[in-house]
Amino acid sequence: QMSQKNMTDYFKAK
Amino acid sequence: MFEAKLQQGVIFKKIVDAIKDLVKSVNIDASTSGLSMQAMDSAHVALVSLKLNENGFKDYRCDRPITLGLSIENLSKILKCAGNDDTITLQTDEEEPSSLKFFFENQQASKISEFSLNLMSLDSESLGIPDTDYSSVIQMSSAEFSRICKELSSISETVEIETSKESVKFSVQGDIGAGSITVKNNQSDKDVDRVDLQIDQPVKLTFALRYLNMFNKAVSLSSTVSLNMSEENPLMVEYKIDDLGSLRFYLAPKISD
């Protein structure tokens, strides 16, 4: 089973 | 005063077509250097980033930075009224515009259409894309990448992309069976055959084909696509738009639970 990471934090961390 | 005139209006139509399944409403930022837009899809696993340089426009003027909040669906409805050979001009005189004017003009200048699109006030997510040195960069025919994704999506929902110095392998495993397509480094003169691999570190990452298929709607913007990957980073899929700029899509990799 694989899940997809929410990328909000990644793109908010400038 | 903001005015941007595109000689090949069809490019703007193609851009909107390419992103309209992914994002519903966006803020387009206009500045002296050009237009830019960043937006995440509703599931927050993909991001679209568009940059259009002022030099790529036939005319471009932006006295002060403005933000244009647009419904992509409504924008698409208006752009349907533009012919593929028309020039497209975006214009507003207001400092905080409530609408954006569109002018479409055919090549003979014998037909001019004028529309205005009501703008929306959208919460702007302050998104920043971290600078990344990608360890594997693949440049290949956009049509070929699109075909591979489409074919594999009938077998599986996800694709594993594995790079090596010589090749890139797209693998799937599904209920009906499994398979892979390997594309080798190929320095052909023809765009359609050419595959450029720049591999500092091999990577092996898994992505949802549903999203890749959505990104591939941009295939008509560029004959080549570049896939930029590093372990544990989102994939960056880039379509360069001639002299005008680029349309980039970012996608989070699938991770094992």
Side-chain angles (χ1 to χ4, degrees):
Chain A
Q1 189 67 34
M2 299 188 97
S3 67
Q4 191 118 38
K5 203 174 167 189
N6 184 313
M7 296 309 289
T8 313
D9 289 341
Y10 179 83
F11 287 117
K12 279 198 174 155
K14 266 199 180 178
Chain B
M1 171 89 181
F2 162 70
E3 186 174 272
K5 181 175 185 176
L6 260 184
Q7 184 64 38
Q8 285 184 275
V10 68
I11 293 175
F12 198 56
K13 284 167 67 105
K14 285 177 179 175
I15 291 169
V16 172
D17 271 345
I19 65 172
K20 74 175 195 294
D21 291 340
L22 205 56
V23 290
K24 295 297 163 206
S25 49
V26 300
N27 275 328
I28 294 181
D29 293 309
S31 70
T32 50
S33 59
L35 301 181
S36 65
M37 181 274 280
Q38 281 179 19
M40 294 192 89
D41 77 305
S42 58
H44 288 98
V45 298
L47 181 140
V48 184
S49 172
L50 172 71
K51 282 203 171 80
L52 304 178
N53 309 315
E54 48 130 356
N55 296 331
F57 291 86
K58 186 161 192 296
D59 298 312
Y60 189 89
R61 179 179 165 187
C62 184
D63 297 342
R64 67 191 76 225
I66 51 168
T67 298
L68 307 164
L70 298 161
S71 148
I72 292 290
E73 191 185 349
N74 295 343
L75 174 60
S76 175
K77 284 177 188 170
I78 285 185
L79 291 178
K80 283 216 166 66
C81 303
N84 282 345
D85 297 325
D86 287 1
T87 64
I88 293 182
T89 305
L90 317 180
Q91 192 195 78
T92 178
D93 301 326
E94 300 162 69
E95 271 181 43
E96 287 179 25
S98 57
S99 68
L100 180 65
K101 282 186 203 148
F102 289 80
F103 299 93
F104 309 143
E105 191 174 352
N106 69 359
Q107 292 299 317
Q108 301 79 31
S110 60
K111 180 182 170 190
I112 297 160
S113 313
E114 183 180 342
F115 293 92
S116 95
L117 174 64
N118 295 333
L119 298 178
M120 315 171 0
S121 177
L122 300 169
D123 288 338
S124 60
E125 293 173 291
S126 60
L127 301 169
I129 299 167
D131 281 336
T132 306
D133 287 327
Y134 292 98
S135 56
S136 287
V137 178
I138 301 147
Q139 194 164 354
M140 63 186 291
S141 150
S142 58
E144 182 61 18
F145 178 60
S146 173
R147 183 161 47 237
I148 289 171
C149 292
K150 212 173 283 173
E151 286 168 357
L152 296 181
S153 61
S154 62
I155 300 166
S156 170
E157 290 180 2
T158 60
V159 61
E160 183 189 87
I161 305 180
E162 184 177 6
T163 63
S164 71
K165 292 277 182 200
E166 299 82 28
S167 65
V168 53
K169 185 174 175 184
F170 302 90
S171 311
V172 288
Q173 272 193 312
D175 294 339
I176 64 159
S180 71
I181 298 173
T182 300
V183 177
K184 293 183 183 170
N185 200 359
N186 181 352
Q187 300 301 312
S188 167
D189 292 337
K190 281 195 265 174
D191 264 1
V192 67
D193 297 328
R194 193 178 170 90
V195 179
D196 257 324
L197 302 174
Q198 290 168 40
I199 314 296
D200 293 332
Q201 287 281 326
V203 297
K204 187 156 74 169
L205 293 164
T206 301
F207 300 101
L209 280 161
R210 191 171 75 86
Y211 280 93
L212 297 180
N213 284 332
M214 281 198 261
F215 301 168
N216 284 327
K217 299 244 162 79
V219 65
S220 61
L221 283 169
S222 176
S223 61
T224 61
V225 62
S226 81
L227 313 174
N228 301 263
M229 291 180 287
S230 287
E231 289 293 339
E232 293 178 21
N233 277 320
L235 161 74
M236 190 265 275
V237 181
E238 182 180 48
Y239 296 86
K240 288 218 165 79
I241 312 169
D242 290 334
D243 305 332
L244 191 58
S246 65
L247 180 59
R248 292 177 172 181
F249 298 97
Y250 294 81
L251 179 62
K254 289 269 191 179
I255 41 177
S256 296
D257 285 337

